[in-house]
Amino acid sequence: MTTNVSECFNGVLKGARSLPITAMVKYTWFKLNSYFDDRRNKSIAQSTSGQKWTKYALDIFMRNKAKAERHRVTRLSAQQQSYQVDTPHNPESAGHGDHTHGVNLLQRSCTCQKWKLYKIPCSHVIAVCIRYRHDAEQYIDPCYSVDALFRSYAPVFPVLKDRLSWPDPEETRTVLPNPRLIREKGRPVSTRIRNEMDEGGRRPRTTPWKEGGRKVQCGLCDQEGHNRRTCPKRNEVPTSGGVAD
């Protein structure tokens, strides 16, 4: 529904524009390798320090935890782990607060849908966990774990083959330009349908075969259907700017 992914790739591979095909492939190859190597090393460092979740997930979790301190929790069923969470009025938020949400820990659902969307407990779920002393971090999706991050970037890129070891192509092809795409001489013919905005207050074009065009109009008597050469009043109207007798 958005072009965020394509814009991201466009920004990353900006340096590969207008390069030959071989150079473009090499640029993309080493660019990806640098991303994999950097993220692999970061995941190893985070795992060595004892960190369980990625920084991205922890930042969202801590922001939600700070908001959860102002929520009011009411338990509806201890057996089904169903709760109602009321949020206070907050003029600084987008929805201005003062809402009611339902949380079900067994079904891992919240009516705000943020838990389902981001796979990270929302402030309403964290408020329930704080109130009844549950570990809220257990509801973070495993895809945000440091171990999952390391497995995503664990593959190592092999060394590229030297160009002398490239296999010979089975066939050779000569690429010729398409003659239908060769631009002809002269100004290109415009096929756009013109309207009153294109005229800019000028006299409409006297082209009868264009959509919205007027018939041929005489420049002497301003009548349609003929021009200056065939105008019946041609001899009556002076053409030199003088006054007729």
Side-chain angles (χ1 to χ4, degrees):
M1 298 182 65
T2 63
T3 60
N4 292 347
V5 176
S6 60
E7 292 293 345
C8 180
F9 279 104
N10 187 34
V12 171
L13 300 177
K14 186 178 296 184
R17 296 178 180 177
S18 304
L19 292 178
I21 295 179
T22 305
M24 187 182 301
V25 172
K26 283 187 176 181
Y27 181 92
T28 307
W29 174 274
F30 289 113
K31 192 73 172 180
L32 288 176
N33 177 74
S34 64
Y35 280 124
F36 269 70
D37 183 64
D38 179 65
R39 283 160 175 74
R40 189 188 308 113
N41 295 333
K42 287 183 178 180
S43 63
I44 294 175
Q46 293 174 4
S47 179
T48 304
S49 62
Q51 186 175 338
K52 183 178 179 181
W53 305 105
T54 61
K55 183 179 181 301
Y56 173 81
L58 284 179
D59 290 344
I60 297 179
F61 182 84
M62 297 307 296
R63 288 199 301 266
N64 293 340
K65 187 176 181 179
K67 293 170 57 178
E69 297 177 355
R70 302 187 298 270
H71 297 347
R72 186 174 66 255
V73 180
T74 303
R75 184 169 62 187
L76 303 179
S77 174
Q79 292 74 26
Q80 298 182 3
Q81 296 187 11
S82 178
Y83 306 89
Q84 175 179 313
V85 180
D86 298 308
T87 62
H89 179 71
N90 185 8
E92 298 180 358
S93 64
H96 303 293
D98 196 14
H99 298 295
T100 299
H101 297 282
V103 176
N104 192 300
L105 297 182
L106 287 180
Q107 299 179 2
R108 292 177 176 263
S109 64
C110 179
T111 54
C112 73
Q113 302 297 327
K114 293 180 181 179
W115 189 10
K116 180 180 179 180
L117 179 62
Y118 296 107
K119 308 297 183 182
I120 299 174
C122 58
S123 60
H124 317 112
V125 176
I126 298 177
V128 172
C129 294
I130 294 176
R131 176 67 174 79
Y132 295 98
R133 298 182 180 180
H134 297 305
D135 183 14
E137 290 190 8
Q138 65 176 323
Y139 297 111
I140 302 178
D141 195 275
C143 68
Y144 291 110
S145 64
V146 175
D147 183 61
L149 177 64
F150 173 76
R151 293 198 307 269
S152 300
Y153 296 99
V156 179
F157 283 42
V159 179
L160 292 178
K161 293 182 179 180
D162 184 76
R163 62 182 182 85
L164 298 178
S165 61
W166 292 354
D168 296 330
E170 298 180 358
E171 60 177 344
T172 57
R173 297 182 180 182
T174 303
V175 181
L176 300 177
N178 189 347
R180 294 179 298 178
L181 300 180
I182 299 178
R183 182 174 176 178
E184 299 179 355
K185 296 181 179 180
R187 184 175 181 179
V189 179
S190 176
T191 58
R192 185 172 62 87
I193 299 177
R194 302 176 65 88
N195 53 30
E196 62 276 4
M197 297 180 63
D198 298 311
E199 304 301 333
R202 298 173 299 176
R203 177 179 294 182
R205 302 176 65 91
T206 58
T207 307
W209 55 81
K210 283 200 173 186
E211 184 176 341
R214 297 178 57 184
K215 296 181 180 180
V216 178
Q217 185 175 5
C218 179
L220 297 178
C221 62
D222 292 333
Q223 299 295 323
E224 296 181 353
H226 62 274
N227 52 23
R228 297 172 63 96
R229 185 176 57 84
T230 59
C231 180
K233 300 181 180 181
R234 179 180 181 184
N235 296 329
E236 301 177 6
V237 180
T239 59
S240 59
V243 179
D245 295 335

Short mmCIF file of all heavy atoms in Angstrom, two decimals, residues 63-122:
data_model
loop_
_atom_site.label_atom_id
_atom_site.label_comp_id
_atom_site.label_asym_id
_atom_site.label_seq_id
_atom_site.Cartn_x
_atom_site.Cartn_y
_atom_site.Cartn_z
N ARG A 63 8.84 2.37 25.77
CA ARG A 63 7.90 3.47 25.56
C ARG A 63 6.48 3.06 25.96
O ARG A 63 5.74 3.83 26.59
CB ARG A 63 7.93 3.94 24.10
CG ARG A 63 9.18 4.69 23.71
CD ARG A 63 8.96 5.50 22.44
NE ARG A 63 8.57 4.64 21.34
CZ ARG A 63 9.43 4.14 20.46
NH1 ARG A 63 10.75 4.39 20.59
NH2 ARG A 63 9.02 3.38 19.46
N ASN A 64 6.10 1.85 25.60
CA ASN A 64 4.77 1.36 25.98
C ASN A 64 4.67 1.16 27.49
O ASN A 64 3.61 1.38 28.08
CB ASN A 64 4.48 0.05 25.25
CG ASN A 64 4.33 0.24 23.75
OD1 ASN A 64 4.09 1.35 23.28
ND2 ASN A 64 4.48 -0.83 23.00
N LYS A 65 5.77 0.75 28.10
CA LYS A 65 5.76 0.54 29.55
C LYS A 65 5.57 1.86 30.30
O LYS A 65 4.89 1.91 31.33
CB LYS A 65 7.05 -0.14 29.98
CG LYS A 65 7.08 -0.56 31.43
CD LYS A 65 8.36 -1.32 31.77
CE LYS A 65 8.37 -1.76 33.23
NZ LYS A 65 9.60 -2.52 33.56
N ALA A 66 6.19 2.92 29.79
CA ALA A 66 6.02 4.23 30.42
C ALA A 66 4.57 4.72 30.31
O ALA A 66 4.03 5.34 31.24
CB ALA A 66 6.96 5.24 29.79
N LYS A 67 3.90 4.43 29.20
CA LYS A 67 2.49 4.82 29.04
C LYS A 67 1.57 3.97 29.91
O LYS A 67 0.52 4.43 30.35
CB LYS A 67 2.09 4.68 27.57
CG LYS A 67 2.78 5.64 26.64
CD LYS A 67 2.53 5.28 25.19
CE LYS A 67 1.06 5.23 24.85
NZ LYS A 67 0.83 4.93 23.42
N ALA A 68 1.98 2.70 30.16
CA ALA A 68 1.12 1.78 30.91
C ALA A 68 0.95 2.18 32.35
O ALA A 68 -0.03 1.75 33.00
CB ALA A 68 1.69 0.36 30.82
N GLU A 69 1.84 2.99 32.88
CA GLU A 69 1.75 3.36 34.30
C GLU A 69 0.52 4.22 34.58
O GLU A 69 0.09 4.32 35.75
CB GLU A 69 3.02 4.11 34.71
CG GLU A 69 4.29 3.25 34.60
CD GLU A 69 5.53 4.04 34.96
OE1 GLU A 69 5.40 5.26 35.18
OE2 GLU A 69 6.63 3.43 34.99
N ARG A 70 -0.06 4.85 33.56
CA ARG A 70 -1.22 5.72 33.77
C ARG A 70 -2.54 5.03 33.44
O ARG A 70 -3.59 5.66 33.52
CB ARG A 70 -1.07 6.99 32.93
CG ARG A 70 0.18 7.79 33.23
CD ARG A 70 0.18 9.12 32.48
NE ARG A 70 0.18 8.91 31.04
CZ ARG A 70 1.26 8.82 30.31
NH1 ARG A 70 2.47 8.87 30.89
NH2 ARG A 70 1.20 8.65 29.00
N HIS A 71 -2.49 3.75 33.04
CA HIS A 71 -3.72 3.03 32.68
C HIS A 71 -4.38 2.43 33.93
O HIS A 71 -3.71 2.14 34.92
CB HIS A 71 -3.42 1.93 31.68
CG HIS A 71 -2.88 2.44 30.37
ND1 HIS A 71 -2.94 3.76 30.01
CD2 HIS A 71 -2.28 1.80 29.32
CE1 HIS A 71 -2.41 3.93 28.81
NE2 HIS A 71 -2.00 2.75 28.38
N ARG A 72 -5.68 2.24 33.84
CA ARG A 72 -6.45 1.61 34.91
C ARG A 72 -6.95 0.25 34.42
O ARG A 72 -7.59 0.16 33.36
CB ARG A 72 -7.62 2.49 35.33
CG ARG A 72 -8.38 1.95 36.54
CD ARG A 72 -9.45 2.92 37.02
NE ARG A 72 -10.52 3.10 36.06
CZ ARG A 72 -10.67 4.17 35.31
NH1 ARG A 72 -9.78 5.17 35.38
NH2 ARG A 72 -11.68 4.27 34.46
N VAL A 73 -6.69 -0.81 35.18
CA VAL A 73 -6.98 -2.18 34.76
C VAL A 73 -8.10 -2.76 35.63
O VAL A 73 -8.09 -2.60 36.86
CB VAL A 73 -5.73 -3.07 34.87
CG1 VAL A 73 -6.04 -4.50 34.44
CG2 VAL A 73 -4.60 -2.49 34.02
N THR A 74 -9.04 -3.42 34.96
CA THR A 74 -10.13 -4.12 35.65
C THR A 74 -10.17 -5.55 35.14
O THR A 74 -10.27 -5.78 33.93
CB THR A 74 -11.48 -3.44 35.39
OG1 THR A 74 -11.41 -2.07 35.79
CG2 THR A 74 -12.59 -4.14 36.16
N ARG A 75 -10.10 -6.52 36.06
CA ARG A 75 -10.12 -7.93 35.65
C ARG A 75 -11.56 -8.38 35.46
O ARG A 75 -12.41 -8.22 36.34
CB ARG A 75 -9.43 -8.80 36.69
CG ARG A 75 -9.32 -10.27 36.27
CD ARG A 75 -8.40 -11.04 37.18
NE ARG A 75 -8.90 -11.06 38.56
CZ ARG A 75 -8.22 -11.56 39.59
NH1 ARG A 75 -6.99 -12.06 39.40
NH2 ARG A 75 -8.74 -11.53 40.81
N LEU A 76 -11.82 -9.00 34.31
CA LEU A 76 -13.15 -9.51 33.99
C LEU A 76 -13.26 -11.00 34.27
O LEU A 76 -14.33 -11.48 34.68
CB LEU A 76 -13.50 -9.22 32.53
CG LEU A 76 -13.45 -7.76 32.11
CD1 LEU A 76 -13.80 -7.62 30.64
CD2 LEU A 76 -14.38 -6.91 32.96
N SER A 77 -12.20 -11.76 34.02
CA SER A 77 -12.21 -13.21 34.26
C SER A 77 -10.79 -13.66 34.49
O SER A 77 -9.94 -13.51 33.59
CB SER A 77 -12.83 -13.96 33.08
OG SER A 77 -12.71 -15.36 33.26
N ALA A 78 -10.53 -14.23 35.68
CA ALA A 78 -9.19 -14.74 35.97
C ALA A 78 -8.91 -16.04 35.22
O ALA A 78 -7.78 -16.32 34.85
CB ALA A 78 -9.04 -14.96 37.48
N GLN A 79 -9.96 -16.84 34.99
CA GLN A 79 -9.77 -18.11 34.30
C GLN A 79 -9.45 -17.90 32.81
O GLN A 79 -8.59 -18.55 32.25
CB GLN A 79 -11.03 -18.99 34.43
CG GLN A 79 -11.28 -19.50 35.84
CD GLN A 79 -11.81 -18.42 36.76
OE1 GLN A 79 -12.42 -17.45 36.28
NE2 GLN A 79 -11.56 -18.56 38.07
N GLN A 80 -10.16 -16.96 32.17
CA GLN A 80 -9.93 -16.68 30.76
C GLN A 80 -8.90 -15.58 30.54
O GLN A 80 -8.59 -15.26 29.39
CB GLN A 80 -11.25 -16.28 30.09
CG GLN A 80 -12.31 -17.37 30.13
CD GLN A 80 -13.58 -16.96 29.43
OE1 GLN A 80 -13.68 -15.86 28.86
NE2 GLN A 80 -14.59 -17.82 29.47
N GLN A 81 -8.40 -15.01 31.62
CA GLN A 81 -7.41 -13.93 31.57
C GLN A 81 -7.89 -12.79 30.67
O GLN A 81 -7.19 -12.34 29.77
CB GLN A 81 -6.06 -14.47 31.09
CG GLN A 81 -5.44 -15.49 32.04
CD GLN A 81 -4.03 -15.88 31.64
OE1 GLN A 81 -3.41 -15.26 30.78
NE2 GLN A 81 -3.51 -16.91 32.29
N SER A 82 -9.10 -12.36 30.96
CA SER A 82 -9.73 -11.26 30.21
C SER A 82 -9.75 -10.02 31.09
O SER A 82 -10.14 -10.09 32.27
CB SER A 82 -11.14 -11.65 29.78
OG SER A 82 -11.77 -10.58 29.11
N TYR A 83 -9.36 -8.87 30.52
CA TYR A 83 -9.22 -7.65 31.30
C TYR A 83 -9.75 -6.46 30.48
O TYR A 83 -9.78 -6.48 29.24
CB TYR A 83 -7.76 -7.38 31.67
CG TYR A 83 -7.09 -8.54 32.36
CD1 TYR A 83 -6.44 -9.53 31.62
CD2 TYR A 83 -7.10 -8.66 33.74
CE1 TYR A 83 -5.84 -10.60 32.24
CE2 TYR A 83 -6.49 -9.73 34.38
CZ TYR A 83 -5.85 -10.69 33.62
OH TYR A 83 -5.25 -11.76 34.23
N GLN A 84 -10.15 -5.43 31.21
CA GLN A 84 -10.53 -4.15 30.60
C GLN A 84 -9.53 -3.09 31.05
O GLN A 84 -9.24 -2.97 32.24
CB GLN A 84 -11.94 -3.75 31.01
CG GLN A 84 -12.35 -2.37 30.51
CD GLN A 84 -13.77 -2.01 30.89
OE1 GLN A 84 -14.68 -2.80 30.74
NE2 GLN A 84 -13.95 -0.78 31.39
N VAL A 85 -9.04 -2.32 30.09
CA VAL A 85 -8.03 -1.29 30.37
C VAL A 85 -8.59 0.05 29.93
O VAL A 85 -8.99 0.22 28.78
CB VAL A 85 -6.70 -1.60 29.64
CG1 VAL A 85 -5.68 -0.52 29.95
CG2 VAL A 85 -6.17 -2.97 30.03
N ASP A 86 -8.61 1.00 30.86
CA ASP A 86 -9.09 2.36 30.58
C ASP A 86 -7.89 3.31 30.58
O ASP A 86 -7.08 3.30 31.51
CB ASP A 86 -10.10 2.80 31.63
CG ASP A 86 -11.33 1.92 31.64
OD1 ASP A 86 -11.92 1.74 30.56
OD2 ASP A 86 -11.69 1.40 32.72
N THR A 87 -7.80 4.11 29.55
CA THR A 87 -6.69 5.06 29.42
C THR A 87 -7.15 6.45 29.83
O THR A 87 -8.30 6.84 29.56
CB THR A 87 -6.17 5.09 27.98
OG1 THR A 87 -7.22 5.54 27.11
CG2 THR A 87 -5.72 3.70 27.53
N PRO A 88 -6.29 7.24 30.46
CA PRO A 88 -6.69 8.59 30.88
C PRO A 88 -6.68 9.56 29.71
O PRO A 88 -6.15 9.26 28.62
CB PRO A 88 -5.61 8.95 31.91
CG PRO A 88 -4.41 8.20 31.46
CD PRO A 88 -4.93 6.89 30.90
N HIS A 89 -7.26 10.72 29.92
CA HIS A 89 -7.28 11.76 28.88
C HIS A 89 -5.88 12.31 28.69
O HIS A 89 -5.17 12.64 29.65
CB HIS A 89 -8.23 12.89 29.28
CG HIS A 89 -8.29 14.00 28.28
ND1 HIS A 89 -8.89 13.86 27.05
CD2 HIS A 89 -7.79 15.27 28.32
CE1 HIS A 89 -8.77 14.99 26.38
NE2 HIS A 89 -8.12 15.86 27.13
N ASN A 90 -5.46 12.37 27.43
CA ASN A 90 -4.12 12.87 27.10
C ASN A 90 -4.22 13.76 25.87
O ASN A 90 -4.29 13.27 24.73
CB ASN A 90 -3.16 11.71 26.84
CG ASN A 90 -1.73 12.18 26.63
OD1 ASN A 90 -1.42 13.36 26.80
ND2 ASN A 90 -0.85 11.28 26.25
N PRO A 91 -4.24 15.09 26.03
CA PRO A 91 -4.39 15.99 24.87
C PRO A 91 -3.19 15.96 23.94
O PRO A 91 -3.29 16.41 22.79
CB PRO A 91 -4.58 17.37 25.51
CG PRO A 91 -3.92 17.25 26.85
CD PRO A 91 -4.14 15.83 27.30
N GLU A 92 -2.05 15.44 24.39
CA GLU A 92 -0.85 15.42 23.55
C GLU A 92 -0.83 14.22 22.60
O GLU A 92 -0.01 14.19 21.69
CB GLU A 92 0.40 15.39 24.44
CG GLU A 92 0.55 16.62 25.31
CD GLU A 92 1.80 16.55 26.17
OE1 GLU A 92 2.51 15.53 26.09
OE2 GLU A 92 2.06 17.52 26.92
N SER A 93 -1.67 13.22 22.81
CA SER A 93 -1.69 12.04 21.94
C SER A 93 -2.60 12.29 20.75
O SER A 93 -3.39 13.24 20.72
CB SER A 93 -2.16 10.81 22.72
OG SER A 93 -3.50 10.98 23.16
N ALA A 94 -2.48 11.39 19.74
CA ALA A 94 -3.27 11.56 18.52
C ALA A 94 -4.76 11.38 18.79
O ALA A 94 -5.59 12.12 18.28
CB ALA A 94 -2.81 10.57 17.46
N GLY A 95 -5.12 10.38 19.63
CA GLY A 95 -6.53 10.14 19.93
C GLY A 95 -7.01 10.82 21.19
O GLY A 95 -8.16 10.64 21.59
N HIS A 96 -6.13 11.60 21.84
CA HIS A 96 -6.45 12.35 23.06
C HIS A 96 -6.84 11.44 24.23
O HIS A 96 -7.42 11.92 25.20
CB HIS A 96 -7.58 13.35 22.81
CG HIS A 96 -7.26 14.32 21.71
ND1 HIS A 96 -6.27 15.28 21.82
CD2 HIS A 96 -7.78 14.46 20.46
CE1 HIS A 96 -6.21 15.98 20.70
NE2 HIS A 96 -7.11 15.50 19.85
N GLY A 97 -6.52 10.15 24.16
CA GLY A 97 -6.75 9.26 25.29
C GLY A 97 -8.21 9.06 25.61
O GLY A 97 -9.10 9.22 24.76
N ASP A 98 -8.47 8.66 26.88
CA ASP A 98 -9.82 8.43 27.37
C ASP A 98 -10.52 7.36 26.54
O ASP A 98 -11.63 7.57 26.03
CB ASP A 98 -10.62 9.73 27.38
CG ASP A 98 -11.88 9.61 28.23
OD1 ASP A 98 -11.97 8.64 29.00
OD2 ASP A 98 -12.77 10.48 28.11
N HIS A 99 -9.88 6.18 26.41
CA HIS A 99 -10.43 5.06 25.65
C HIS A 99 -10.50 3.82 26.53
O HIS A 99 -9.84 3.73 27.57
CB HIS A 99 -9.57 4.77 24.42
CG HIS A 99 -9.50 5.90 23.45
ND1 HIS A 99 -10.59 6.36 22.74
CD2 HIS A 99 -8.45 6.68 23.06
CE1 HIS A 99 -10.22 7.36 21.96
NE2 HIS A 99 -8.93 7.58 22.14
N THR A 100 -11.27 2.86 26.06
CA THR A 100 -11.41 1.58 26.74
C THR A 100 -11.02 0.46 25.79
O THR A 100 -11.50 0.41 24.65
CB THR A 100 -12.86 1.36 27.22
OG1 THR A 100 -13.21 2.40 28.13
CG2 THR A 100 -13.01 0.02 27.91
N HIS A 101 -10.15 -0.44 26.25
CA HIS A 101 -9.67 -1.54 25.43
C HIS A 101 -9.81 -2.84 26.20
O HIS A 101 -9.75 -2.87 27.44
CB HIS A 101 -8.20 -1.34 25.03
CG HIS A 101 -7.97 -0.13 24.20
ND1 HIS A 101 -8.26 -0.09 22.84
CD2 HIS A 101 -7.51 1.11 24.51
CE1 HIS A 101 -7.95 1.10 22.36
NE2 HIS A 101 -7.50 1.85 23.36
N GLY A 102 -10.00 -3.92 25.42
CA GLY A 102 -10.10 -5.24 26.02
C GLY A 102 -8.86 -6.05 25.71
O GLY A 102 -8.39 -6.10 24.57
N VAL A 103 -8.31 -6.72 26.73
CA VAL A 103 -7.09 -7.51 26.60
C VAL A 103 -7.40 -8.94 27.01
O VAL A 103 -8.05 -9.18 28.04
CB VAL A 103 -5.95 -6.95 27.48
CG1 VAL A 103 -4.72 -7.84 27.41
CG2 VAL A 103 -5.60 -5.53 27.05
N ASN A 104 -6.93 -9.89 26.19
CA ASN A 104 -7.06 -11.31 26.51
C ASN A 104 -5.69 -11.95 26.35
O ASN A 104 -5.19 -12.07 25.23
CB ASN A 104 -8.08 -11.98 25.60
CG ASN A 104 -8.45 -13.37 26.08
OD1 ASN A 104 -7.60 -14.24 26.20
ND2 ASN A 104 -9.73 -13.58 26.35
N LEU A 105 -5.10 -12.35 27.46
CA LEU A 105 -3.74 -12.89 27.41
C LEU A 105 -3.70 -14.30 26.84
O LEU A 105 -2.72 -14.69 26.21
CB LEU A 105 -3.13 -12.89 28.82
CG LEU A 105 -2.94 -11.51 29.47
CD1 LEU A 105 -2.29 -11.66 30.84
CD2 LEU A 105 -2.10 -10.60 28.59
N LEU A 106 -4.78 -15.07 27.04
CA LEU A 106 -4.81 -16.42 26.48
C LEU A 106 -4.85 -16.39 24.96
O LEU A 106 -4.17 -17.17 24.29
CB LEU A 106 -6.02 -17.20 27.03
CG LEU A 106 -5.95 -17.64 28.50
CD1 LEU A 106 -7.21 -18.39 28.89
CD2 LEU A 106 -4.71 -18.50 28.74
N GLN A 107 -5.63 -15.48 24.41
CA GLN A 107 -5.75 -15.36 22.95
C GLN A 107 -4.71 -14.41 22.37
O GLN A 107 -4.65 -14.24 21.15
CB GLN A 107 -7.15 -14.87 22.59
CG GLN A 107 -8.26 -15.80 23.03
CD GLN A 107 -9.63 -15.27 22.68
OE1 GLN A 107 -9.78 -14.20 22.08
NE2 GLN A 107 -10.67 -16.02 23.06
N ARG A 108 -3.91 -13.81 23.25
CA ARG A 108 -2.88 -12.85 22.83
C ARG A 108 -3.49 -11.78 21.91
O ARG A 108 -3.05 -11.58 20.77
CB ARG A 108 -1.73 -13.56 22.12
CG ARG A 108 -0.91 -14.45 23.06
CD ARG A 108 0.19 -15.19 22.30
NE ARG A 108 1.02 -15.96 23.21
CZ ARG A 108 2.19 -15.54 23.69
NH1 ARG A 108 2.66 -14.35 23.34
NH2 ARG A 108 2.90 -16.30 24.51
N SER A 109 -4.48 -11.10 22.42
CA SER A 109 -5.17 -10.09 21.63
C SER A 109 -5.48 -8.86 22.46
O SER A 109 -5.63 -8.94 23.69
CB SER A 109 -6.49 -10.66 21.06
OG SER A 109 -7.37 -10.98 22.11
N CYS A 110 -5.55 -7.73 21.78
CA CYS A 110 -5.96 -6.46 22.37
C CYS A 110 -6.77 -5.72 21.32
O CYS A 110 -6.44 -5.76 20.12
CB CYS A 110 -4.76 -5.64 22.82
SG CYS A 110 -5.20 -4.03 23.54
N THR A 111 -7.81 -5.05 21.74
CA THR A 111 -8.70 -4.39 20.78
C THR A 111 -8.03 -3.24 20.05
O THR A 111 -8.54 -2.77 19.03
CB THR A 111 -9.96 -3.89 21.48
OG1 THR A 111 -9.59 -3.05 22.59
CG2 THR A 111 -10.79 -5.06 22.01
N CYS A 112 -6.91 -2.74 20.54
CA CYS A 112 -6.21 -1.67 19.82
C CYS A 112 -5.46 -2.20 18.61
O CYS A 112 -5.02 -1.42 17.76
CB CYS A 112 -5.24 -0.95 20.75
SG CYS A 112 -3.76 -1.90 21.18
N GLN A 113 -5.27 -3.52 18.51
CA GLN A 113 -4.63 -4.21 17.38
C GLN A 113 -3.13 -3.93 17.25
O GLN A 113 -2.49 -4.43 16.32
CB GLN A 113 -5.32 -3.84 16.06
CG GLN A 113 -6.80 -4.16 16.00
CD GLN A 113 -7.08 -5.65 16.11
OE1 GLN A 113 -6.30 -6.47 15.65
NE2 GLN A 113 -8.19 -6.00 16.75
N LYS A 114 -2.55 -3.14 18.15
CA LYS A 114 -1.12 -2.85 18.04
C LYS A 114 -0.26 -4.06 18.40
O LYS A 114 0.81 -4.27 17.83
CB LYS A 114 -0.75 -1.67 18.95
CG LYS A 114 -1.35 -0.35 18.52
CD LYS A 114 -0.94 0.78 19.45
CE LYS A 114 -1.56 2.10 19.02
NZ LYS A 114 -1.18 3.21 19.95
N TRP A 115 -0.74 -4.87 19.34
CA TRP A 115 -0.01 -6.08 19.71
C TRP A 115 0.07 -7.04 18.53
O TRP A 115 1.10 -7.64 18.25
CB TRP A 115 -0.71 -6.74 20.90
CG TRP A 115 0.06 -7.87 21.52
CD1 TRP A 115 1.35 -8.23 21.27
CD2 TRP A 115 -0.41 -8.77 22.51
NE1 TRP A 115 1.70 -9.30 22.04
CE2 TRP A 115 0.65 -9.66 22.82
CE3 TRP A 115 -1.62 -8.93 23.20
CZ2 TRP A 115 0.53 -10.69 23.75
CZ3 TRP A 115 -1.74 -9.94 24.13
CH2 TRP A 115 -0.67 -10.80 24.41
N LYS A 116 -1.03 -7.19 17.81
CA LYS A 116 -1.06 -8.07 16.65
C LYS A 116 -0.25 -7.51 15.50
O LYS A 116 0.38 -8.26 14.74
CB LYS A 116 -2.52 -8.28 16.22
CG LYS A 116 -2.69 -9.19 15.01
CD LYS A 116 -4.17 -9.33 14.66
CE LYS A 116 -4.36 -10.22 13.43
NZ LYS A 116 -5.81 -10.35 13.08
N LEU A 117 -0.23 -6.20 15.37
CA LEU A 117 0.45 -5.57 14.23
C LEU A 117 1.96 -5.57 14.41
O LEU A 117 2.70 -5.94 13.49
CB LEU A 117 -0.07 -4.14 14.06
CG LEU A 117 0.55 -3.32 12.93
CD1 LEU A 117 0.25 -3.96 11.57
CD2 LEU A 117 0.02 -1.89 12.96
N TYR A 118 2.44 -5.16 15.58
CA TYR A 118 3.87 -5.00 15.80
C TYR A 118 4.52 -6.20 16.47
O TYR A 118 5.75 -6.24 16.59
CB TYR A 118 4.13 -3.75 16.65
CG TYR A 118 3.71 -2.47 15.99
CD1 TYR A 118 2.57 -1.79 16.42
CD2 TYR A 118 4.43 -1.93 14.93
CE1 TYR A 118 2.17 -0.61 15.81
CE2 TYR A 118 4.04 -0.76 14.32
CZ TYR A 118 2.91 -0.10 14.76
OH TYR A 118 2.51 1.06 14.16
N LYS A 119 3.72 -7.16 16.95
CA LYS A 119 4.25 -8.35 17.64
C LYS A 119 4.99 -7.97 18.92
O LYS A 119 5.83 -8.72 19.40
CB LYS A 119 5.19 -9.14 16.72
CG LYS A 119 4.62 -9.50 15.37
CD LYS A 119 3.42 -10.42 15.49
CE LYS A 119 2.89 -10.82 14.12
NZ LYS A 119 1.68 -11.68 14.22
N ILE A 120 4.68 -6.81 19.47
CA ILE A 120 5.27 -6.32 20.71
C ILE A 120 4.12 -5.90 21.62
O ILE A 120 3.19 -5.22 21.15
CB ILE A 120 6.24 -5.14 20.46
CG1 ILE A 120 7.39 -5.58 19.55
CG2 ILE A 120 6.79 -4.60 21.77
CD1 ILE A 120 8.31 -4.44 19.15
N PRO A 121 4.12 -6.28 22.90
CA PRO A 121 3.01 -5.91 23.78
C PRO A 121 2.77 -4.41 23.81
O PRO A 121 3.69 -3.61 23.98
CB PRO A 121 3.46 -6.44 25.16
CG PRO A 121 4.42 -7.52 24.84
CD PRO A 121 5.12 -7.11 23.59
N CYS A 122 1.51 -4.04 23.65
CA CYS A 122 1.14 -2.63 23.71
C CYS A 122 1.08 -2.19 25.16
O CYS A 122 1.25 -2.98 26.10
CB CYS A 122 -0.19 -2.40 23.00
SG CYS A 122 -1.54 -3.38 23.71
#
